[in-house]
Amino acid sequence: MSDNHEKYRGIHPIVPTAFREDGSFDPDSQRRLVDYLVKIGVQGVAILGFLGEAHKLTEGERRDVIETVMDQAAGRLKVLVGVRALGTAGAIAQAREARELGADAVFAAPLTIQNDNALYTYYRELAEESGIDVLIHDFPENFTTILSPELIGRLANEVPGIVGIKLEEPPVLVKTSQVLKLAPQLAVLGGLGGVYFLEELQRGAVGIMTGFAYSEVLLEIWQLYTAGEHEAAARVFDHYCPLLRYEFQPKLGLPFRKHVFMKRGIFASDFSRSPGLKLDEQSRAELEATIRRVGLDLDPVVI
Amino acid sequence: MSDNHEKYRGIHPIVPTAFREDGSFDPDSQRRLVDYLVKIGVQGVAILGFLGEAHKLTEGERRDVIETVMDQAAGRLKVLVGVRALGTAGAIAQAREARELGADAVFAAPLTIQNDNALYTYYRELAEESGIDVLIHDFPENFTTILSPELIGRLANEVPGIVGIKLEEPPVLVKTSQVLKLAPQLAVLGGLGGVYFLEELQRGAVGIMTGFAYSEVLLEIWQLYTAGEHEAAARVFDHYCPLLRYEFQPKLGLPFRKHVFMKRGIFASDFSRSPGLKLDEQSRAELEATIRRVGLDLDPVVI
Amino acid sequence: MSDNHEKYRGIHPIVPTAFREDGSFDPDSQRRLVDYLVKIGVQGVAILGFLGEAHKLTEGERRDVIETVMDQAAGRLKVLVGVRALGTAGAIAQAREARELGADAVFAAPLTIQNDNALYTYYRELAEESGIDVLIHDFPENFTTILSPELIGRLANEVPGIVGIKLEEPPVLVKTSQVLKLAPQLAVLGGLGGVYFLEELQRGAVGIMTGFAYSEVLLEIWQLYTAGEHEAAARVFDHYCPLLRYEFQPKLGLPFRKHVFMKRGIFASDFSRSPGLKLDEQSRAELEATIRRVGLDLDPVVI
Amino acid sequence: MSDNHEKYRGIHPIVPTAFREDGSFDPDSQRRLVDYLVKIGVQGVAILGFLGEAHKLTEGERRDVIETVMDQAAGRLKVLVGVRALGTAGAIAQAREARELGADAVFAAPLTIQNDNALYTYYRELAEESGIDVLIHDFPENFTTILSPELIGRLANEVPGIVGIKLEEPPVLVKTSQVLKLAPQLAVLGGLGGVYFLEELQRGAVGIMTGFAYSEVLLEIWQLYTAGEHEAAARVFDHYCPLLRYEFQPKLGLPFRKHVFMKRGIFASDFSRSPGLKLDEQSRAELEATIRRVGLDLDPVVI
């Protein structure tokens, strides 16, 4: 097991940013979410990604979110911070801020430019000039940029600071194997709402970074799988599959997860900033019905 | 229930085109597939879609496929033919050929042009000048064109020949409700590998047109649901969910389905034309493991 | 000078398809256009490209256009035929038809797939299985596919049937030099309405294939340039630059050129098929004013 | 003439950000550029656009550029500041900073989202919450977002702070007329390197905001045109057309303009940040030859 594998194994929920009803950042809710994650025992928390509405925040709000989460985490779980900017300088500034505030790593979106040399330079400069561990965020559905396995392998093998990848280009399992063949030391984290988590583990992923609202389910699957209980892991995965599938719908992930967190008493509000789809009544009813069908609930959690 | 609902209700598997190992069309395998579908009792078969590799066939081969399927179907199930061309004239020619050869309907991809007026004109001319029922194929992942609910509603309400839609723009459930609110008489068929079939039915879809390899599963869900056995339908859907999910991966649907049909003795070969992903060993193993986990098999079918 | 350079040097106007007012193909107008091109002395004519509305024609109409032009050309100038299809089989069928009808070469659009291996295979199979000279049509603005200089060079050096390229990816001059460095034997033809024709020649293009309505202007520039009269060529180019610039506007090229051909008595109608921009009054007036400013006219030509 | 027309008429060069050879911001060069523009007499200067490499700067550098230009301009010409962010909050923060530092207006890129309602909300909130004049930057080639004439008209008519547009979606002249028909009070500024400046004026544009390196040429055309000397304006435009055309090549605009400013003694360096095309020798030679052919020079300017 490589150092990267050891450091980034496990469940790293990517979480929404909590807002009050008036749209301002709600640090109390954000702290409750951290406590909840600590309580269920996940290995890390990933903030300020696409799900975290990072692109809808000002620079000052970014800083607030990081400081709040760092303070509440207090070393009880790793903190990973999303980086996404229109150019290299902005990305480096974000990564440096994350390092200065004590984060463990950043997960960084590519530039919106389809040119392997430019992308290589971008990630290399980002890692070298920020001095913090960098995980590549490979999510073309939202970022439009395609990162080839060859480019990822080259970055992993030539740039010490590139330690992992949140891999979300479908078909994600085939790409997981391609990337690990080229760079076996890379920490591959699954994503895509956990919909392929069982097979991601079978392919060599060391964990997952995704927004699925019930992280305890992913944790159970991972604990069973890494304990060698492969059949039990599959049974648990299959059991929750209807919900994993339903909850992972493009554009609906954010309202679904904020709704669950609000109902469970973690977030005070399900407010999300525009632009973005609001939760319609029928989708809400379907979500709740699916949650109940797999035996979960929406009762307030005790933290 | 509108006439369109009545006519297009049920399961309409969209099927691959069978090739021999040398890459030529294999009518015997295609006929066996038709017989298999007739035997399990689905309502229709959809040929020459994207899954049918229609874009990789010559005009002559298109005709062969239609004639073969029409002859073997012999009125025992409906035949729907895919239409996709670079312009209106080519699409009309394909639709007319389908009508002349006796098909029940066409499902037609949009032009690759993001202009509502041009798209309206395209579909209107296609319907009026071909004289065959037209279902819109709404699948931006492959066709790139976005069809708004408003455009779909306008076409459905103003053009008599527009009878249905194979609706596959995510989030597909929200759009299903939006479209049916504007045009309740339209026959909405689900898609996307059946991954949302339960909720599609709840939202008002009258059936499905998708490539999931085990159509008998979709048929069972639909029969239970339309018989009012909603909970039983959900139980069956949830049971097969791990396979529905796994089998519906971008770029892998075609090799997966040809593999299943070959193993089950329906197709003589799993050959598919380039370009396209080939089935790697690990994906094959994962597919087969998932099939077995949900209690299905890959034994030769008795037709 | 390579054989390809020798064979494809000079001016090869890419021409619209002539329609009657009722939208049907007008062979008489198409023949007049051929005669006009023969009279002014260009080296070839390129039919059934994007400008030729090939994507709006049926297979039968394609054949009619080729036969009409071949018959009228009667060996007096080369005939190049556009190839564009949704897949390889359709493209090969088009190229074979062109060869069987006696055309000199095809210029072929790429598949709409961003994958170098698949594109290489496509062009190789197209050249090998059609048996006719193939020029690559590199025009990402309309076809969306990016062809890298490396891919073009590999095709040119490894596939004997790949003889040239109509190069239209901006910045077109830089790419011209890159491509010719990798494959100096390739016949590079300029495009983009002639807007960069002077520099294309300086960079090593052997001619041009474009739709600029006054081919006699391009011919004059080319004749001066190839006779070593570089300054005179630049003077002529600069003189007509206001028109070259104005006439080459996205979406307006087709209506502009049909308008000029109609006014000059070559086409009986300026009808073009939908979808497509129609000529508005102000654009028409601007075009005509610019034509007159550079000293050209719209009087009927004597053929 | 509307207030907007009056306020934003004339030439507003969009300018590069000056860097030293080590890549850091060079305020001295930036000040010289301002002085040069004041000397030739243009009406405004537009900083921090795409040409200004704004996406490659940190927040601190943005501020430095604005403060430097504001200080040097000292009311002698208008200052317009580019706004572009991943979301609304970031865009508002940039616009507020511009207002606080005394800028006259911002020109704002759209969000990268193809949804008219979301785009309307974005521009409305940007204008209302920043309190500074907003010009829409309509440049789909780089921003990918299409802004329909209807959306632009609605914004112009319903949101007082939307005062103008830098209109660069081809075919740009047709769209200019469409937009002005819907919102005649809007200040339309041309762009696209000045390639269509003559016709933009004829269509109702009140000026231009573009990066063409010789703003004195555009100023001469505009002065003649607005003085009613339409034929003389056309003669000047036609005379410089070879250079306008050559200088406006995708990806080369920035290195071309920095080269000219360096040769003319305005910028100390032609350094630009990656990613971006560097100036190759042949393009440099072509540029200089074209400059000389139209009678301009690269001699140091006296400021």
Side-chain angles (χ1 to χ4, degrees):
Chain A
M1 189 179 282
S2 83
D3 288 352
N4 298 334
H5 290 197
E6 182 59 30
K7 186 165 178 191
Y8 292 101
R9 62 200 299 267
I11 311 302
H12 305 79
I14 190 163
V15 296
T17 299
F19 296 119
R20 299 192 189 91
E21 278 298 306
D22 67 2
S24 62
F25 172 51
D26 175 1
D28 294 340
S29 290
Q30 202 75 38
R31 286 177 187 274
R32 269 196 302 275
L33 178 56
V34 172
D35 282 349
Y36 162 68
L37 294 176
V38 168
K39 189 190 176 206
I40 63 175
V42 297
Q43 284 75 13
V45 61
I47 59 174
L48 294 177
F50 193 81
L51 186 74
E53 298 179 79
H55 52 296
K56 305 178 192 167
L57 306 182
T58 62
E59 296 294 306
E61 291 173 325
R62 274 189 70 87
R63 191 174 184 93
D64 283 354
V65 173
I66 302 174
E67 288 180 336
T68 300
V69 169
M70 289 307 304
D71 183 62
Q72 193 70 16
R76 297 181 295 166
L77 79 180
K78 287 198 298 297
V79 177
L80 300 93
V81 176
V83 160
R84 185 174 167 224
L86 289 166
T88 306
I92 291 171
Q94 291 180 3
R96 283 182 174 160
E97 181 184 57
R99 192 202 57 201
E100 287 159 13
L101 296 176
D104 294 88
V106 295
F107 55 103
L111 298 184
T112 311
I113 182 172
Q114 201 55 65
N115 176 318
D116 275 12
N117 287 335
L119 291 167
Y120 179 87
T121 302
Y122 160 72
Y123 273 114
R124 184 174 55 67
E125 292 183 0
L126 177 62
E128 292 179 355
E129 299 191 21
S130 71
I132 188 169
D133 279 5
V134 173
L135 290 88
I136 295 165
H137 191 179
D138 179 27
F139 189 29
E141 177 178 321
N142 270 326
F143 304 144
T144 73
T145 308
I146 302 287
L147 302 168
S148 70
E150 292 69 28
L151 173 62
I152 295 164
R154 211 179 130 210
L155 282 164
N157 292 323
E158 298 177 6
V159 182
I162 303 290
V163 300
I165 184 167
K166 172 166 162 59
L167 202 158
E168 310 194 284
E169 185 196 358
V172 75
L173 301 171
V174 171
K175 191 170 183 180
T176 296
S177 297
Q178 290 170 332
V179 165
L180 281 171
K181 192 171 174 189
L182 295 170
Q185 80 286 4
L186 200 66
V188 173
L189 298 180
L192 297 179
V195 168
Y196 304 103
F197 189 33
L198 180 70
E199 293 88 359
E200 285 165 348
L201 291 171
Q202 293 169 351
R203 298 265 189 166
V206 297
I208 195 164
M209 185 195 295
T210 197
F212 182 64
Y214 292 84
S215 295
E216 46 271 60
V217 167
L218 300 176
L219 187 63
E220 185 182 357
I221 294 165
W222 179 79
Q223 286 169 332
L224 286 167
Y225 192 86
T226 54
E229 305 276 358
H230 294 180
E231 285 189 24
R235 268 196 306 274
V236 173
F237 177 82
D238 287 354
H239 175 76
Y240 292 106
C241 203
L243 180 59
L244 290 162
R245 158 208 71 99
Y246 184 83
E247 199 244 20
F248 184 64
Q249 291 188 60
K251 301 184 186 169
L252 284 169
L254 180 60
F256 278 172
R257 284 130 188 198
K258 288 204 158 176
H259 177 72
V260 170
F261 289 165
M262 188 179 65
K263 295 283 281 188
R264 298 184 84 192
I266 300 168
F267 275 17
S269 162
D270 64 352
F271 186 91
S272 61
R273 293 187 177 177
S274 71
L277 215 53
K278 303 302 174 194
L279 190 56
D280 61 284
E281 184 53 28
Q282 199 158 357
S283 296
R284 187 199 56 71
E286 286 168 355
L287 174 69
E288 297 190 357
T290 313
I291 288 170
R292 298 217 158 82
R293 274 213 322 274
V294 299
L296 294 169
D297 64 54
L298 286 156
D299 302 337
V301 293
V302 180
I303 300 174
Chain B
M1 187 179 282
S2 82
D3 288 352
N4 298 334
H5 289 198
E6 181 60 30
K7 185 164 178 192
Y8 292 102
R9 62 201 299 268
I11 311 302
H12 306 79
I14 191 164
V15 296
T17 299
F19 295 119
R20 299 190 189 93
E21 278 300 305
D22 66 3
S24 63
F25 172 51
D26 175 1
D28 294 341
S29 290
Q30 202 74 38
R31 287 176 186 273
R32 269 196 301 277
L33 179 55
V34 172
D35 283 350
Y36 161 68
L37 295 177
V38 168
K39 190 191 175 206
I40 62 177
V42 297
Q43 284 74 12
V45 60
I47 58 173
L48 295 177
F50 193 80
L51 185 76
E53 298 179 79
H55 52 298
K56 305 177 191 167
L57 306 182
T58 61
E59 296 294 307
E61 290 173 326
R62 274 188 70 87
R63 192 176 184 92
D64 283 353
V65 173
I66 302 173
E67 288 180 335
T68 300
V69 169
M70 289 307 304
D71 182 63
Q72 195 69 16
R76 296 180 297 166
L77 80 181
K78 286 198 299 296
V79 178
L80 300 91
V81 177
V83 160
R84 184 175 170 222
L86 290 165
T88 306
I92 291 171
Q94 289 179 3
R96 282 182 175 159
E97 181 184 56
R99 192 201 58 200
E100 287 159 12
L101 296 176
D104 294 87
V106 295
F107 54 104
L111 297 184
T112 312
I113 182 170
Q114 201 56 65
N115 177 316
D116 276 11
N117 287 336
L119 291 166
Y120 179 87
T121 302
Y122 161 71
Y123 274 114
R124 185 175 53 69
E125 292 183 0
L126 177 62
E128 291 179 355
E129 299 191 21
S130 70
I132 188 170
D133 278 6
V134 173
L135 291 87
I136 295 166
H137 191 180
D138 178 27
F139 189 29
E141 177 177 320
N142 270 326
F143 304 143
T144 74
T145 308
I146 302 286
L147 302 169
S148 70
E150 291 70 29
L151 173 61
I152 295 164
R154 210 179 131 211
L155 282 164
N157 291 323
E158 298 178 6
V159 182
I162 303 291
V163 300
I165 184 167
K166 170 166 162 60
L167 202 158
E168 310 194 282
E169 185 196 1
V172 74
L173 300 171
V174 172
K175 191 169 183 179
T176 296
S177 296
Q178 290 170 332
V179 165
L180 281 172
K181 193 171 173 189
L182 295 170
Q185 79 286 4
L186 201 65
V188 173
L189 298 180
L192 297 179
V195 167
Y196 304 103
F197 189 33
L198 181 68
E199 292 89 359
E200 286 164 348
L201 291 171
Q202 293 169 351
R203 298 266 190 166
V206 297
I208 195 164
M209 186 196 295
T210 197
F212 182 64
Y214 292 84
S215 297
E216 46 271 60
V217 167
L218 300 176
L219 187 63
E220 185 182 356
I221 295 165
W222 180 79
Q223 286 170 332
L224 287 168
Y225 192 86
T226 53
E229 306 275 357
H230 294 182
E231 286 189 24
R235 269 197 305 275
V236 173
F237 177 81
D238 286 353
H239 175 77
Y240 291 107
C241 201
L243 179 58
L244 289 162
R245 160 207 70 100
Y246 184 83
E247 198 245 20
F248 184 64
Q249 291 188 62
K251 299 184 187 169
L252 284 168
L254 181 60
F256 279 172
R257 285 131 187 197
K258 287 203 159 177
H259 177 71
V260 170
F261 289 165
M262 187 179 67
K263 295 283 282 190
R264 298 184 86 193
I266 300 168
F267 275 17
S269 162
D270 64 354
F271 186 91
S272 60
R273 293 187 177 177
S274 71
L277 214 55
K278 302 303 174 193
L279 190 56
D280 61 286
E281 183 53 28
Q282 201 158 355
S283 297
R284 187 200 54 71
E286 285 169 355
L287 174 70
E288 297 190 357
T290 313
I291 288 170
R292 298 217 159 83
R293 277 214 319 279
V294 299
L296 294 169
D297 65 53
L298 287 155
D299 302 337
V301 294
V302 180
I303 301 173
Chain C
M1 186 180 282
S2 82
D3 288 352
N4 298 335
H5 290 197
E6 181 60 30
K7 185 163 179 192
Y8 293 102
R9 62 200 299 267
I11 311 301
H12 306 77
I14 190 163
V15 296
T17 300
F19 296 118
R20 298 191 190 94
E21 278 299 306
D22 67 2
S24 61
F25 173 52
D26 174 2
D28 293 341
S29 290
Q30 202 74 38
R31 287 177 185 273
R32 268 195 303 276
L33 177 56
V34 172
D35 282 349
Y36 162 68
L37 294 176
V38 168
K39 189 189 175 208
I40 63 177
V42 297
Q43 285 74 12
V45 60
I47 58 173
L48 294 177
F50 193 81
L51 187 75
E53 298 180 80
H55 51 298
K56 305 177 192 168
L57 305 183
T58 62
E59 296 294 306
E61 290 172 327
R62 274 188 70 87
R63 192 175 183 93
D64 283 353
V65 173
I66 302 174
E67 287 180 335
T68 299
V69 170
M70 289 307 304
D71 182 63
Q72 194 70 16
R76 297 180 297 166
L77 80 181
K78 285 198 300 295
V79 178
L80 299 93
V81 177
V83 160
R84 184 175 169 223
L86 289 166
T88 307
I92 291 172
Q94 290 180 4
R96 283 182 174 159
E97 180 184 58
R99 193 202 57 201
E100 286 159 14
L101 296 177
D104 293 270
V106 295
F107 54 104
L111 297 184
T112 311
I113 183 171
Q114 201 54 65
N115 176 316
D116 276 11
N117 287 335
L119 291 166
Y120 179 87
T121 302
Y122 161 71
Y123 274 115
R124 185 175 53 69
E125 291 182 2
L126 177 62
E128 291 180 356
E129 299 192 21
S130 71
I132 188 170
D133 279 4
V134 172
L135 290 88
I136 295 165
H137 191 179
D138 179 27
F139 189 29
E141 178 177 320
N142 270 327
F143 304 145
T144 74
T145 308
I146 304 286
L147 302 169
S148 70
E150 292 70 28
L151 173 62
I152 296 164
R154 210 179 132 211
L155 281 165
N157 291 323
E158 298 178 6
V159 183
I162 303 291
V163 301
I165 185 167
K166 171 166 163 57
L167 202 158
E168 309 193 284
E169 186 196 0
V172 75
L173 301 171
V174 171
K175 191 169 183 179
T176 295
S177 296
Q178 290 170 332
V179 165
L180 281 171
K181 193 171 174 189
L182 295 170
Q185 79 286 4
L186 200 65
V188 173
L189 298 181
L192 298 178
V195 167
Y196 304 103
F197 189 33
L198 181 69
E199 292 89 359
E200 285 164 348
L201 291 171
Q202 293 169 350
R203 299 265 190 166
V206 296
I208 195 164
M209 184 196 297
T210 198
F212 183 64
Y214 292 84
S215 296
E216 46 271 61
V217 168
L218 300 176
L219 187 63
E220 185 182 356
I221 295 165
W222 180 79
Q223 285 169 335
L224 287 167
Y225 192 86
T226 53
E229 305 277 357
H230 294 181
E231 286 188 25
R235 268 195 305 274
V236 174
F237 177 81
D238 287 354
H239 175 77
Y240 291 106
C241 202
L243 180 58
L244 289 162
R245 160 207 71 100
Y246 184 83
E247 199 244 19
F248 184 64
Q249 292 187 61
K251 301 184 187 170
L252 284 169
L254 180 61
F256 279 173
R257 285 131 188 197
K258 287 202 159 178
H259 177 71
V260 170
F261 289 164
M262 187 178 67
K263 295 282 282 189
R264 299 184 84 192
I266 300 168
F267 275 16
S269 160
D270 63 354
F271 186 91
S272 61
R273 294 186 176 178
S274 71
L277 215 54
K278 302 304 173 193
L279 190 57
D280 61 285
E281 183 53 27
Q282 200 158 356
S283 297
R284 186 200 57 69
E286 286 169 355
L287 174 69
E288 296 190 356
T290 313
I291 288 169
R292 297 217 159 82
R293 276 215 318 277
V294 300
L296 294 169
D297 64 53
L298 286 155
D299 301 338
V301 294
V302 180
I303 301 175
Chain D
M1 188 180 283
S2 82
D3 289 352
N4 298 334
H5 290 197
E6 182 60 30
K7 186 165 178 191
Y8 293 102
R9 62 201 298 267
I11 312 300
H12 306 77
I14 190 162
V15 297
T17 299
F19 296 118
R20 299 192 188 92
E21 277 299 305
D22 66 3
S24 61
F25 173 52
D26 175 0
D28 294 341
S29 290
Q30 202 75 37
R31 286 176 187 274
R32 269 196 302 276
L33 179 55
V34 172
D35 282 349
Y36 162 68
L37 294 177
V38 168
K39 190 192 174 204
I40 62 177
V42 297
Q43 284 75 12
V45 60
I47 58 173
L48 295 177
F50 193 82
L51 187 75
E53 298 180 78
H55 52 297
K56 305 178 191 166
L57 306 182
T58 62
E59 296 293 308
E61 291 173 326
R62 274 187 71 86
R63 191 173 184 93
D64 283 354
V65 173
I66 302 174
E67 288 180 335
T68 300
V69 169
M70 289 307 304
D71 183 63
Q72 195 68 18
R76 298 180 295 165
L77 79 180
K78 285 199 300 296
V79 179
L80 299 93
V81 177
V83 160
R84 184 177 169 221
L86 290 165
T88 306
I92 291 171
Q94 290 179 3
R96 284 182 174 160
E97 180 184 59
R99 192 202 58 201
E100 287 159 12
L101 297 176
D104 294 270
V106 295
F107 54 103
L111 297 184
T112 312
I113 183 171
Q114 201 54 66
N115 176 318
D116 276 12
N117 287 335
L119 291 166
Y120 179 86
T121 302
Y122 161 72
Y123 274 114
R124 184 175 53 70
E125 292 183 0
L126 177 62
E128 291 180 355
E129 300 192 19
S130 71
I132 188 170
D133 279 6
V134 173
L135 290 87
I136 295 166
H137 191 180
D138 178 28
F139 189 28
E141 177 178 321
N142 271 326
F143 304 144
T144 72
T145 308
I146 303 287
L147 302 169
S148 69
E150 290 71 26
L151 173 61
I152 295 164
R154 210 179 131 211
L155 282 164
N157 291 324
E158 298 177 6
V159 183
I162 303 290
V163 300
I165 184 166
K166 172 167 163 56
L167 202 159
E168 310 194 283
E169 185 196 359
V172 75
L173 301 171
V174 172
K175 191 169 182 180
T176 295
S177 296
Q178 290 170 332
V179 165
L180 281 172
K181 192 169 174 190
L182 295 170
Q185 80 286 5
L186 201 65
V188 173
L189 298 180
L192 297 179
V195 168
Y196 304 104
F197 189 34
L198 181 69
E199 292 90 358
E200 285 164 348
L201 291 171
Q202 293 169 350
R203 297 265 190 167
V206 296
I208 195 164
M209 185 195 297
T210 197
F212 182 64
Y214 293 84
S215 296
E216 47 272 61
V217 167
L218 300 176
L219 187 63
E220 185 182 356
I221 295 165
W222 180 78
Q223 286 169 333
L224 287 167
Y225 192 86
T226 54
E229 305 276 358
H230 295 180
E231 285 189 24
R235 269 197 305 275
V236 174
F237 177 82
D238 286 353
H239 175 77
Y240 291 107
C241 202
L243 180 58
L244 290 162
R245 159 209 71 99
Y246 183 83
E247 199 245 20
F248 184 64
Q249 291 187 60
K251 300 183 186 171
L252 284 168
L254 180 61
F256 278 171
R257 284 129 188 200
K258 288 203 159 177
H259 177 71
V260 170
F261 289 165
M262 187 179 66
K263 296 282 281 187
R264 299 184 83 191
I266 300 168
F267 276 15
S269 162
D270 64 352
F271 186 91
S272 60
R273 294 188 176 175
S274 71
L277 215 52
K278 302 301 174 195
L279 190 57
D280 61 285
E281 183 52 28
Q282 200 158 355
S283 296
R284 187 199 55 70
E286 286 168 354
L287 174 69
E288 297 190 357
T290 313
I291 289 169
R292 299 217 158 82
R293 276 213 320 275
V294 299
L296 294 169
D297 64 54
L298 287 155
D299 302 337
V301 293
V302 180
I303 300 173

